[in-house]
Amino acid sequence: MIYMPFLYFPEDKSEYIPATIMLVIFMALAVAALVFMVKKNKKDEKKFEEKYETQLKSAEKADKAETTNK
């Protein structure tokens, strides 16, 4: 048998309430962090495309020309 002293299942189920509250808080923070990162990434992508618009267009034209020549 595997010895696991860290496992504890309380008889009084109301002891699960603080753990559940903490889980909900951390899950909400994780979702908020994910949403923040996605928004920041989209903003940075837009800024990058505005800054390097001409280079991106010329690269797309070169790719199209290369694929038509094959």
Side-chain angles (χ1 to χ4, degrees):
M1 187 169 141
I2 299 174
Y3 180 65
M4 294 186 206
F6 55 87
L7 288 178
Y8 169 68
F9 299 102
E11 294 293 324
D12 182 19
K13 301 303 179 192
S14 66
E15 293 183 29
Y16 288 119
I17 294 172
T20 306
I21 292 170
M22 291 298 292
L23 175 68
V24 169
I25 290 171
F26 280 104
M27 291 297 289
L29 289 173
V31 169
L34 180 67
V35 169
F36 170 75
M37 285 187 274
V38 168
K39 285 184 178 181
K40 176 93 169 91
N41 186 25
K42 285 183 181 180
K43 182 179 173 184
D44 289 347
E45 181 183 12
K46 186 176 179 181
K47 189 182 299 184
F48 176 84
E49 287 177 352
E50 288 174 356
K51 186 174 182 179
Y52 296 106
E53 184 177 7
T54 57
Q55 289 90 342
L56 290 171
K57 285 183 180 179
S58 65
E60 286 176 4
K61 287 179 184 176
D63 286 343
K64 285 181 183 178
E66 185 177 309
T67 54
T68 56
N69 290 337
K70 286 186 178 182

Short mmCIF file of all heavy atoms in Angstrom, two decimals:
data_model
loop_
_atom_site.label_atom_id
_atom_site.label_comp_id
_atom_site.label_asym_id
_atom_site.label_seq_id
_atom_site.Cartn_x
_atom_site.Cartn_y
_atom_site.Cartn_z
N MET A 1 0.83 -1.19 0.00
CA MET A 1 0.00 0.00 0.00
C MET A 1 0.88 1.25 0.00
O MET A 1 1.89 1.32 0.67
CB MET A 1 -0.89 -0.01 1.25
CG MET A 1 -1.90 1.08 1.26
SD MET A 1 -3.08 0.80 2.57
CE MET A 1 -3.27 2.45 3.10
N ILE A 2 0.47 2.23 -0.78
CA ILE A 2 1.23 3.47 -0.87
C ILE A 2 0.86 4.36 0.31
O ILE A 2 -0.31 4.57 0.61
CB ILE A 2 0.94 4.20 -2.19
CG1 ILE A 2 1.35 3.31 -3.36
CG2 ILE A 2 1.66 5.53 -2.24
CD1 ILE A 2 0.96 3.89 -4.71
N TYR A 3 1.88 4.88 0.96
CA TYR A 3 1.67 5.73 2.13
C TYR A 3 1.49 7.17 1.68
O TYR A 3 2.39 7.77 1.09
CB TYR A 3 2.87 5.60 3.07
CG TYR A 3 2.74 6.44 4.31
CD1 TYR A 3 1.74 6.18 5.24
CD2 TYR A 3 3.62 7.47 4.56
CE1 TYR A 3 1.62 6.94 6.39
CE2 TYR A 3 3.52 8.24 5.70
CZ TYR A 3 2.51 7.97 6.62
OH TYR A 3 2.39 8.72 7.75
N MET A 4 0.30 7.74 1.91
CA MET A 4 0.00 9.12 1.50
C MET A 4 -0.55 9.90 2.70
O MET A 4 -1.76 10.05 2.83
CB MET A 4 -1.01 9.13 0.37
CG MET A 4 -0.51 8.54 -0.90
SD MET A 4 -1.73 8.78 -2.19
CE MET A 4 -1.33 7.42 -3.24
N PRO A 5 0.32 10.44 3.54
CA PRO A 5 -0.18 11.15 4.72
C PRO A 5 -0.81 12.50 4.40
O PRO A 5 -1.51 13.07 5.22
CB PRO A 5 1.07 11.34 5.57
CG PRO A 5 2.17 11.37 4.57
CD PRO A 5 1.76 10.40 3.49
N PHE A 6 -0.56 13.03 3.18
CA PHE A 6 -1.08 14.35 2.84
C PHE A 6 -2.55 14.30 2.43
O PHE A 6 -3.19 15.33 2.30
CB PHE A 6 -0.25 15.00 1.73
CG PHE A 6 -0.13 14.15 0.50
CD1 PHE A 6 -1.09 14.20 -0.49
CD2 PHE A 6 0.96 13.30 0.35
CE1 PHE A 6 -0.97 13.42 -1.62
CE2 PHE A 6 1.07 12.51 -0.78
CZ PHE A 6 0.11 12.57 -1.76
N LEU A 7 -3.11 13.11 2.20
CA LEU A 7 -4.52 13.01 1.86
C LEU A 7 -5.37 13.14 3.12
O LEU A 7 -5.12 12.49 4.13
CB LEU A 7 -4.83 11.67 1.19
CG LEU A 7 -4.29 11.52 -0.23
CD1 LEU A 7 -4.62 10.13 -0.75
CD2 LEU A 7 -4.90 12.56 -1.14
N TYR A 8 -6.36 14.00 3.03
CA TYR A 8 -7.23 14.22 4.17
C TYR A 8 -8.63 14.48 3.65
O TYR A 8 -8.86 15.40 2.87
CB TYR A 8 -6.74 15.43 4.98
CG TYR A 8 -7.71 15.91 6.02
CD1 TYR A 8 -8.01 15.12 7.14
CD2 TYR A 8 -8.33 17.14 5.89
CE1 TYR A 8 -8.91 15.57 8.09
CE2 TYR A 8 -9.23 17.59 6.84
CZ TYR A 8 -9.52 16.79 7.94
OH TYR A 8 -10.42 17.22 8.89
N PHE A 9 -9.56 13.64 4.01
CA PHE A 9 -10.95 13.79 3.61
C PHE A 9 -11.77 14.05 4.86
O PHE A 9 -12.03 13.14 5.64
CB PHE A 9 -11.44 12.53 2.89
CG PHE A 9 -10.67 12.25 1.64
CD1 PHE A 9 -9.68 11.28 1.60
CD2 PHE A 9 -10.92 12.98 0.48
CE1 PHE A 9 -8.98 11.03 0.45
CE2 PHE A 9 -10.22 12.72 -0.68
CZ PHE A 9 -9.23 11.75 -0.69
N PRO A 10 -12.18 15.30 5.07
CA PRO A 10 -12.88 15.64 6.31
C PRO A 10 -14.30 15.04 6.37
O PRO A 10 -14.95 14.87 5.34
CB PRO A 10 -12.94 17.15 6.29
CG PRO A 10 -12.85 17.51 4.86
CD PRO A 10 -12.00 16.46 4.21
N GLU A 11 -14.69 14.75 7.56
CA GLU A 11 -16.06 14.27 7.77
C GLU A 11 -17.06 15.41 7.56
O GLU A 11 -18.12 15.22 6.98
CB GLU A 11 -16.21 13.70 9.19
CG GLU A 11 -15.39 12.46 9.44
CD GLU A 11 -15.87 11.27 8.61
OE1 GLU A 11 -17.10 11.15 8.42
OE2 GLU A 11 -15.03 10.49 8.15
N ASP A 12 -16.70 16.59 8.06
CA ASP A 12 -17.55 17.76 7.90
C ASP A 12 -17.30 18.37 6.52
O ASP A 12 -16.23 18.93 6.26
CB ASP A 12 -17.24 18.78 9.00
CG ASP A 12 -18.11 20.01 8.92
OD1 ASP A 12 -19.17 19.94 8.26
OD2 ASP A 12 -17.73 21.04 9.53
N LYS A 13 -18.24 18.25 5.62
CA LYS A 13 -18.06 18.69 4.23
C LYS A 13 -18.02 20.21 4.10
O LYS A 13 -17.65 20.73 3.05
CB LYS A 13 -19.16 18.12 3.35
CG LYS A 13 -19.22 16.61 3.34
CD LYS A 13 -17.91 16.00 2.91
CE LYS A 13 -18.01 14.49 2.93
NZ LYS A 13 -16.74 13.83 2.81
N SER A 14 -18.35 20.94 5.15
CA SER A 14 -18.27 22.40 5.07
C SER A 14 -16.82 22.88 5.02
O SER A 14 -16.56 24.03 4.68
CB SER A 14 -18.99 23.04 6.26
OG SER A 14 -18.31 22.75 7.47
N GLU A 15 -15.87 22.00 5.31
CA GLU A 15 -14.45 22.37 5.18
C GLU A 15 -14.02 22.48 3.74
O GLU A 15 -12.93 22.99 3.45
CB GLU A 15 -13.59 21.35 5.92
CG GLU A 15 -13.79 21.38 7.44
CD GLU A 15 -12.86 20.42 8.16
OE1 GLU A 15 -11.76 20.16 7.64
OE2 GLU A 15 -13.25 19.95 9.24
N TYR A 16 -14.84 22.01 2.83
CA TYR A 16 -14.53 22.14 1.40
C TYR A 16 -14.86 23.53 0.87
O TYR A 16 -14.38 23.91 -0.21
CB TYR A 16 -15.32 21.11 0.58
CG TYR A 16 -14.84 19.69 0.74
CD1 TYR A 16 -15.68 18.71 1.25
CD2 TYR A 16 -13.55 19.33 0.39
CE1 TYR A 16 -15.26 17.41 1.38
CE2 TYR A 16 -13.11 18.03 0.52
CZ TYR A 16 -13.97 17.07 1.02
OH TYR A 16 -13.55 15.79 1.16
N ILE A 17 -15.65 24.29 1.57
CA ILE A 17 -16.10 25.60 1.09
C ILE A 17 -14.93 26.56 0.85
O ILE A 17 -14.84 27.17 -0.23
CB ILE A 17 -17.16 26.20 2.04
CG1 ILE A 17 -18.42 25.34 1.99
CG2 ILE A 17 -17.47 27.65 1.67
CD1 ILE A 17 -19.47 25.73 3.02
N PRO A 18 -13.98 26.74 1.79
CA PRO A 18 -12.86 27.66 1.50
C PRO A 18 -12.02 27.21 0.30
O PRO A 18 -11.58 28.04 -0.50
CB PRO A 18 -12.02 27.64 2.79
CG PRO A 18 -12.94 27.15 3.84
CD PRO A 18 -13.92 26.26 3.16
N ALA A 19 -11.82 25.90 0.17
CA ALA A 19 -11.05 25.41 -0.97
C ALA A 19 -11.77 25.68 -2.28
O ALA A 19 -11.15 26.06 -3.29
CB ALA A 19 -10.79 23.92 -0.82
N THR A 20 -13.07 25.53 -2.28
CA THR A 20 -13.86 25.81 -3.48
C THR A 20 -13.82 27.29 -3.82
O THR A 20 -13.69 27.65 -5.00
CB THR A 20 -15.32 25.36 -3.27
OG1 THR A 20 -15.33 23.98 -2.88
CG2 THR A 20 -16.13 25.55 -4.52
N ILE A 21 -13.91 28.13 -2.83
CA ILE A 21 -13.83 29.58 -3.06
C ILE A 21 -12.47 29.95 -3.65
O ILE A 21 -12.38 30.71 -4.62
CB ILE A 21 -14.11 30.36 -1.76
CG1 ILE A 21 -15.58 30.18 -1.35
CG2 ILE A 21 -13.77 31.84 -1.93
CD1 ILE A 21 -15.91 30.72 0.02
N MET A 22 -11.40 29.39 -3.12
CA MET A 22 -10.06 29.67 -3.65
C MET A 22 -9.93 29.16 -5.08
O MET A 22 -9.32 29.83 -5.93
CB MET A 22 -8.99 29.04 -2.76
CG MET A 22 -8.85 29.71 -1.40
SD MET A 22 -8.36 31.44 -1.53
CE MET A 22 -6.73 31.28 -2.15
N LEU A 23 -10.48 28.00 -5.35
CA LEU A 23 -10.43 27.45 -6.71
C LEU A 23 -11.14 28.38 -7.68
O LEU A 23 -10.62 28.67 -8.77
CB LEU A 23 -11.06 26.06 -6.75
CG LEU A 23 -11.17 25.43 -8.13
CD1 LEU A 23 -9.79 25.11 -8.67
CD2 LEU A 23 -12.03 24.19 -8.07
N VAL A 24 -12.30 28.86 -7.31
CA VAL A 24 -13.06 29.77 -8.18
C VAL A 24 -12.28 31.07 -8.41
O VAL A 24 -12.21 31.58 -9.53
CB VAL A 24 -14.46 30.05 -7.59
CG1 VAL A 24 -15.15 31.18 -8.33
CG2 VAL A 24 -15.30 28.79 -7.61
N ILE A 25 -11.67 31.60 -7.35
CA ILE A 25 -10.89 32.83 -7.48
C ILE A 25 -9.71 32.63 -8.43
O ILE A 25 -9.48 33.44 -9.34
CB ILE A 25 -10.41 33.32 -6.10
CG1 ILE A 25 -11.59 33.83 -5.28
CG2 ILE A 25 -9.34 34.40 -6.24
CD1 ILE A 25 -11.27 34.12 -3.82
N PHE A 26 -8.96 31.55 -8.25
CA PHE A 26 -7.80 31.32 -9.10
C PHE A 26 -8.20 31.02 -10.55
O PHE A 26 -7.51 31.44 -11.49
CB PHE A 26 -6.92 30.20 -8.55
CG PHE A 26 -6.02 30.67 -7.44
CD1 PHE A 26 -6.30 30.36 -6.13
CD2 PHE A 26 -4.91 31.44 -7.71
CE1 PHE A 26 -5.48 30.80 -5.10
CE2 PHE A 26 -4.07 31.88 -6.70
CZ PHE A 26 -4.36 31.56 -5.39
N MET A 27 -9.31 30.33 -10.74
CA MET A 27 -9.77 30.08 -12.10
C MET A 27 -10.19 31.38 -12.77
O MET A 27 -9.90 31.60 -13.95
CB MET A 27 -10.94 29.08 -12.09
CG MET A 27 -10.55 27.68 -11.71
SD MET A 27 -9.40 26.93 -12.85
CE MET A 27 -10.46 26.69 -14.25
N ALA A 28 -10.86 32.28 -12.04
CA ALA A 28 -11.25 33.57 -12.59
C ALA A 28 -10.02 34.40 -12.95
O ALA A 28 -9.98 35.05 -14.01
CB ALA A 28 -12.14 34.32 -11.61
N LEU A 29 -9.01 34.36 -12.09
CA LEU A 29 -7.78 35.10 -12.39
C LEU A 29 -7.07 34.51 -13.61
O LEU A 29 -6.50 35.26 -14.43
CB LEU A 29 -6.85 35.09 -11.18
CG LEU A 29 -7.32 35.95 -10.00
CD1 LEU A 29 -6.40 35.73 -8.80
CD2 LEU A 29 -7.35 37.41 -10.38
N ALA A 30 -7.10 33.20 -13.76
CA ALA A 30 -6.47 32.56 -14.91
C ALA A 30 -7.19 32.96 -16.20
O ALA A 30 -6.55 33.26 -17.22
CB ALA A 30 -6.48 31.05 -14.75
N VAL A 31 -8.51 33.00 -16.17
CA VAL A 31 -9.28 33.41 -17.34
C VAL A 31 -9.01 34.89 -17.66
O VAL A 31 -8.83 35.25 -18.83
CB VAL A 31 -10.79 33.16 -17.13
CG1 VAL A 31 -11.63 33.82 -18.20
CG2 VAL A 31 -11.07 31.66 -17.09
N ALA A 32 -8.94 35.72 -16.64
CA ALA A 32 -8.65 37.15 -16.85
C ALA A 32 -7.26 37.33 -17.47
O ALA A 32 -7.08 38.15 -18.37
CB ALA A 32 -8.76 37.91 -15.55
N ALA A 33 -6.29 36.57 -17.00
CA ALA A 33 -4.94 36.65 -17.56
C ALA A 33 -4.93 36.21 -19.02
O ALA A 33 -4.26 36.82 -19.86
CB ALA A 33 -3.98 35.81 -16.73
N LEU A 34 -5.66 35.16 -19.33
CA LEU A 34 -5.73 34.67 -20.71
C LEU A 34 -6.37 35.72 -21.62
O LEU A 34 -5.85 35.99 -22.71
CB LEU A 34 -6.52 33.37 -20.76
CG LEU A 34 -6.66 32.75 -22.14
CD1 LEU A 34 -5.31 32.27 -22.66
CD2 LEU A 34 -7.64 31.60 -22.10
N VAL A 35 -7.46 36.31 -21.18
CA VAL A 35 -8.13 37.34 -21.98
C VAL A 35 -7.20 38.53 -22.19
O VAL A 35 -7.11 39.08 -23.29
CB VAL A 35 -9.45 37.77 -21.30
CG1 VAL A 35 -10.02 39.02 -21.95
CG2 VAL A 35 -10.46 36.64 -21.34
N PHE A 36 -6.49 38.94 -21.13
CA PHE A 36 -5.54 40.05 -21.24
C PHE A 36 -4.46 39.73 -22.27
O PHE A 36 -4.12 40.58 -23.11
CB PHE A 36 -4.91 40.34 -19.89
CG PHE A 36 -3.76 41.30 -19.95
CD1 PHE A 36 -3.99 42.66 -20.13
CD2 PHE A 36 -2.46 40.85 -19.84
CE1 PHE A 36 -2.93 43.55 -20.19
CE2 PHE A 36 -1.40 41.73 -19.91
CZ PHE A 36 -1.63 43.08 -20.10
N MET A 37 -3.91 38.52 -22.23
CA MET A 37 -2.85 38.16 -23.16
C MET A 37 -3.34 38.12 -24.60
O MET A 37 -2.63 38.56 -25.51
CB MET A 37 -2.24 36.81 -22.78
CG MET A 37 -1.34 36.89 -21.58
SD MET A 37 -0.48 35.35 -21.25
CE MET A 37 -1.70 34.51 -20.27
N VAL A 38 -4.56 37.63 -24.82
CA VAL A 38 -5.10 37.58 -26.17
C VAL A 38 -5.31 38.98 -26.71
O VAL A 38 -4.96 39.28 -27.86
CB VAL A 38 -6.42 36.76 -26.19
CG1 VAL A 38 -7.15 36.94 -27.51
CG2 VAL A 38 -6.13 35.29 -25.93
N LYS A 39 -5.88 39.88 -25.89
CA LYS A 39 -6.08 41.26 -26.33
C LYS A 39 -4.76 41.95 -26.63
O LYS A 39 -4.62 42.67 -27.63
CB LYS A 39 -6.86 42.05 -25.27
CG LYS A 39 -8.32 41.71 -25.23
CD LYS A 39 -9.06 42.58 -24.23
CE LYS A 39 -10.53 42.28 -24.22
NZ LYS A 39 -11.27 43.13 -23.27
N LYS A 40 -3.76 41.76 -25.77
CA LYS A 40 -2.44 42.37 -25.97
C LYS A 40 -1.80 41.83 -27.25
O LYS A 40 -1.20 42.59 -28.02
CB LYS A 40 -1.56 42.07 -24.75
CG LYS A 40 -0.14 42.56 -24.86
CD LYS A 40 0.01 43.93 -24.28
CE LYS A 40 1.46 44.31 -24.14
NZ LYS A 40 1.96 44.99 -25.32
N ASN A 41 -1.94 40.54 -27.49
CA ASN A 41 -1.36 39.94 -28.68
C ASN A 41 -1.99 40.51 -29.95
O ASN A 41 -1.29 40.82 -30.91
CB ASN A 41 -1.55 38.42 -28.64
CG ASN A 41 -0.84 37.73 -29.77
OD1 ASN A 41 0.12 38.23 -30.33
ND2 ASN A 41 -1.34 36.57 -30.13
N LYS A 42 -3.32 40.67 -29.96
CA LYS A 42 -3.99 41.24 -31.13
C LYS A 42 -3.55 42.68 -31.36
O LYS A 42 -3.35 43.11 -32.49
CB LYS A 42 -5.50 41.15 -30.96
CG LYS A 42 -6.03 39.75 -31.16
CD LYS A 42 -7.53 39.70 -31.06
CE LYS A 42 -8.03 38.28 -31.24
NZ LYS A 42 -9.50 38.20 -31.16
N LYS A 43 -3.41 43.43 -30.26
CA LYS A 43 -2.97 44.82 -30.37
C LYS A 43 -1.54 44.90 -30.92
O LYS A 43 -1.24 45.71 -31.81
CB LYS A 43 -3.04 45.47 -28.99
CG LYS A 43 -2.67 46.92 -28.95
CD LYS A 43 -2.80 47.46 -27.53
CE LYS A 43 -2.28 48.86 -27.40
NZ LYS A 43 -2.33 49.34 -26.02
N ASP A 44 -0.65 44.03 -30.43
CA ASP A 44 0.72 44.01 -30.92
C ASP A 44 0.79 43.57 -32.37
O ASP A 44 1.60 44.08 -33.15
CB ASP A 44 1.58 43.08 -30.06
CG ASP A 44 1.86 43.65 -28.68
OD1 ASP A 44 1.60 44.85 -28.46
OD2 ASP A 44 2.32 42.87 -27.80
N GLU A 45 -0.06 42.61 -32.76
CA GLU A 45 -0.08 42.15 -34.14
C GLU A 45 -0.51 43.28 -35.07
O GLU A 45 0.08 43.48 -36.14
CB GLU A 45 -1.02 40.96 -34.28
CG GLU A 45 -1.09 40.40 -35.68
CD GLU A 45 -2.08 39.26 -35.81
OE1 GLU A 45 -2.87 39.05 -34.87
OE2 GLU A 45 -2.06 38.60 -36.85
N LYS A 46 -1.53 44.02 -34.67
CA LYS A 46 -2.00 45.14 -35.49
C LYS A 46 -0.92 46.21 -35.63
O LYS A 46 -0.67 46.73 -36.72
CB LYS A 46 -3.26 45.75 -34.86
CG LYS A 46 -3.90 46.80 -35.70
CD LYS A 46 -5.19 47.28 -35.06
CE LYS A 46 -5.82 48.37 -35.90
NZ LYS A 46 -7.06 48.87 -35.29
N LYS A 47 -0.24 46.51 -34.52
CA LYS A 47 0.84 47.50 -34.54
C LYS A 47 1.98 47.03 -35.46
O LYS A 47 2.55 47.81 -36.23
CB LYS A 47 1.37 47.71 -33.12
CG LYS A 47 2.33 48.87 -33.00
CD LYS A 47 2.87 49.01 -31.59
CE LYS A 47 1.79 49.26 -30.57
NZ LYS A 47 2.33 49.51 -29.22
N PHE A 48 2.32 45.74 -35.41
CA PHE A 48 3.37 45.18 -36.25
C PHE A 48 2.99 45.28 -37.72
O PHE A 48 3.82 45.67 -38.55
CB PHE A 48 3.62 43.72 -35.86
CG PHE A 48 4.62 43.02 -36.73
CD1 PHE A 48 5.97 43.13 -36.46
CD2 PHE A 48 4.22 42.25 -37.80
CE1 PHE A 48 6.90 42.49 -37.25
CE2 PHE A 48 5.13 41.61 -38.61
CZ PHE A 48 6.48 41.72 -38.33
N GLU A 49 1.74 44.92 -38.03
CA GLU A 49 1.31 44.97 -39.42
C GLU A 49 1.29 46.39 -39.95
O GLU A 49 1.61 46.62 -41.12
CB GLU A 49 -0.06 44.31 -39.57
CG GLU A 49 0.00 42.81 -39.45
CD GLU A 49 -1.37 42.15 -39.52
OE1 GLU A 49 -2.39 42.88 -39.51
OE2 GLU A 49 -1.41 40.92 -39.55
N GLU A 50 0.93 47.36 -39.12
CA GLU A 50 0.96 48.76 -39.55
C GLU A 50 2.39 49.23 -39.79
O GLU A 50 2.66 49.95 -40.75
CB GLU A 50 0.29 49.65 -38.51
CG GLU A 50 -1.21 49.50 -38.43
CD GLU A 50 -1.82 50.29 -37.29
OE1 GLU A 50 -1.07 50.90 -36.50
OE2 GLU A 50 -3.06 50.28 -37.17
N LYS A 51 3.31 48.79 -38.94
CA LYS A 51 4.69 49.24 -39.05
C LYS A 51 5.39 48.63 -40.27
O LYS A 51 6.18 49.30 -40.94
CB LYS A 51 5.45 48.87 -37.77
CG LYS A 51 6.85 49.40 -37.71
CD LYS A 51 7.49 49.12 -36.36
CE LYS A 51 8.88 49.69 -36.26
NZ LYS A 51 9.49 49.43 -34.95
N TYR A 52 5.11 47.37 -40.56
CA TYR A 52 5.82 46.67 -41.63
C TYR A 52 4.90 46.32 -42.79
O TYR A 52 5.08 45.31 -43.46
CB TYR A 52 6.46 45.40 -41.07
CG TYR A 52 7.52 45.68 -40.03
CD1 TYR A 52 7.27 45.46 -38.68
CD2 TYR A 52 8.76 46.18 -40.40
CE1 TYR A 52 8.23 45.72 -37.73
CE2 TYR A 52 9.72 46.45 -39.45
CZ TYR A 52 9.45 46.22 -38.12
OH TYR A 52 10.40 46.49 -37.17
N GLU A 53 3.92 47.18 -43.04
CA GLU A 53 2.93 46.92 -44.09
C GLU A 53 3.57 46.76 -45.47
O GLU A 53 3.25 45.82 -46.20
CB GLU A 53 1.90 48.05 -44.11
CG GLU A 53 0.79 47.85 -45.09
CD GLU A 53 -0.24 48.96 -45.00
OE1 GLU A 53 -0.02 49.95 -44.28
OE2 GLU A 53 -1.26 48.84 -45.68
N THR A 54 4.48 47.65 -45.82
CA THR A 54 5.08 47.59 -47.15
C THR A 54 5.93 46.34 -47.32
O THR A 54 5.90 45.70 -48.37
CB THR A 54 5.93 48.84 -47.42
OG1 THR A 54 6.93 48.96 -46.39
CG2 THR A 54 5.08 50.09 -47.43
N GLN A 55 6.69 45.97 -46.30
CA GLN A 55 7.52 44.77 -46.39
C GLN A 55 6.66 43.50 -46.48
O GLN A 55 6.99 42.57 -47.21
CB GLN A 55 8.46 44.65 -45.18
CG GLN A 55 9.58 45.66 -45.17
CD GLN A 55 9.20 46.94 -44.43
OE1 GLN A 55 8.03 47.22 -44.20
NE2 GLN A 55 10.19 47.73 -44.05
N LEU A 56 5.55 43.49 -45.77
CA LEU A 56 4.67 42.33 -45.82
C LEU A 56 4.03 42.18 -47.19
O LEU A 56 3.93 41.07 -47.73
CB LEU A 56 3.58 42.44 -44.74
CG LEU A 56 4.03 42.29 -43.29
CD1 LEU A 56 2.89 42.63 -42.34
CD2 LEU A 56 4.50 40.87 -43.03
N LYS A 57 3.61 43.30 -47.78
CA LYS A 57 3.00 43.24 -49.11
C LYS A 57 4.00 42.78 -50.16
O LYS A 57 3.67 41.98 -51.04
CB LYS A 57 2.41 44.59 -49.48
CG LYS A 57 1.12 44.90 -48.76
CD LYS A 57 0.52 46.21 -49.20
CE LYS A 57 -0.77 46.48 -48.45
NZ LYS A 57 -1.39 47.75 -48.83
N SER A 58 5.22 43.29 -50.08
CA SER A 58 6.23 42.88 -51.06
C SER A 58 6.61 41.40 -50.88
O SER A 58 6.84 40.70 -51.86
CB SER A 58 7.48 43.76 -50.96
OG SER A 58 8.11 43.59 -49.71
N ALA A 59 6.60 40.92 -49.66
CA ALA A 59 6.88 39.51 -49.43
C ALA A 59 5.75 38.63 -49.95
O ALA A 59 5.99 37.56 -50.52
CB ALA A 59 7.09 39.25 -47.93
N GLU A 60 4.50 39.10 -49.80
CA GLU A 60 3.36 38.35 -50.34
C GLU A 60 3.42 38.29 -51.86
O GLU A 60 3.17 37.24 -52.47
CB GLU A 60 2.05 38.99 -49.91
CG GLU A 60 1.70 38.77 -48.46
CD GLU A 60 0.44 39.50 -48.04
OE1 GLU A 60 -0.23 40.15 -48.91
OE2 GLU A 60 0.10 39.44 -46.85
N LYS A 61 3.79 39.40 -52.49
CA LYS A 61 3.91 39.42 -53.95
C LYS A 61 5.01 38.47 -54.41
O LYS A 61 4.86 37.76 -55.41
CB LYS A 61 4.20 40.83 -54.45
CG LYS A 61 3.01 41.76 -54.37
CD LYS A 61 3.36 43.16 -54.86
CE LYS A 61 2.20 44.12 -54.69
NZ LYS A 61 2.56 45.49 -55.08
N ALA A 62 6.11 38.45 -53.68
CA ALA A 62 7.22 37.56 -54.04
C ALA A 62 6.80 36.10 -53.89
O ALA A 62 7.15 35.26 -54.72
CB ALA A 62 8.44 37.86 -53.17
N ASP A 63 6.04 35.79 -52.85
CA ASP A 63 5.57 34.42 -52.66
C ASP A 63 4.62 34.00 -53.76
O ASP A 63 4.69 32.88 -54.27
CB ASP A 63 4.86 34.28 -51.30
CG ASP A 63 5.83 34.27 -50.13
OD1 ASP A 63 7.04 34.05 -50.35
OD2 ASP A 63 5.36 34.48 -49.00
N LYS A 64 3.71 34.92 -54.17
CA LYS A 64 2.77 34.60 -55.25
C LYS A 64 3.51 34.37 -56.56
O LYS A 64 3.20 33.49 -57.31
CB LYS A 64 1.75 35.72 -55.40
CG LYS A 64 0.71 35.73 -54.31
CD LYS A 64 -0.30 36.86 -54.52
CE LYS A 64 -1.29 36.90 -53.37
NZ LYS A 64 -2.24 38.02 -53.53
N ALA A 65 4.49 35.23 -56.83
CA ALA A 65 5.28 35.09 -58.06
C ALA A 65 6.05 33.78 -58.05
O ALA A 65 6.18 33.11 -59.08
CB ALA A 65 6.22 36.28 -58.22
N GLU A 66 6.57 33.41 -56.90
CA GLU A 66 7.34 32.17 -56.79
C GLU A 66 6.46 30.95 -56.99
O GLU A 66 6.86 29.99 -57.66
CB GLU A 66 8.01 32.12 -55.42
CG GLU A 66 8.94 30.93 -55.23
CD GLU A 66 9.62 30.96 -53.89
OE1 GLU A 66 10.20 32.01 -53.55
OE2 GLU A 66 9.56 29.94 -53.19
N THR A 67 5.26 30.98 -56.47
CA THR A 67 4.36 29.83 -56.61
C THR A 67 3.83 29.71 -58.03
O THR A 67 3.58 28.60 -58.52
CB THR A 67 3.18 29.90 -55.63
OG1 THR A 67 2.51 31.13 -55.79
CG2 THR A 67 3.66 29.76 -54.20
N THR A 68 3.65 30.83 -58.75
CA THR A 68 3.16 30.76 -60.13
C THR A 68 4.26 30.28 -61.07
O THR A 68 3.98 29.71 -62.11
CB THR A 68 2.62 32.11 -60.59
OG1 THR A 68 3.62 33.11 -60.45
CG2 THR A 68 1.38 32.48 -59.82
N ASN A 69 5.52 30.51 -60.72
CA ASN A 69 6.65 30.10 -61.57
C ASN A 69 6.96 28.62 -61.43
O ASN A 69 7.64 28.06 -62.28
CB ASN A 69 7.91 30.92 -61.24
CG ASN A 69 7.77 32.36 -61.69
OD1 ASN A 69 6.99 32.65 -62.58
ND2 ASN A 69 8.54 33.23 -61.06
N LYS A 70 6.47 27.97 -60.43
CA LYS A 70 6.77 26.54 -60.24
C LYS A 70 5.95 25.66 -61.08
O LYS A 70 5.08 25.70 -61.68
CB LYS A 70 6.57 26.15 -58.75
CG LYS A 70 7.67 26.68 -57.89
CD LYS A 70 7.51 26.16 -56.49
CE LYS A 70 8.66 26.65 -55.63
NZ LYS A 70 8.60 26.17 -54.30
#
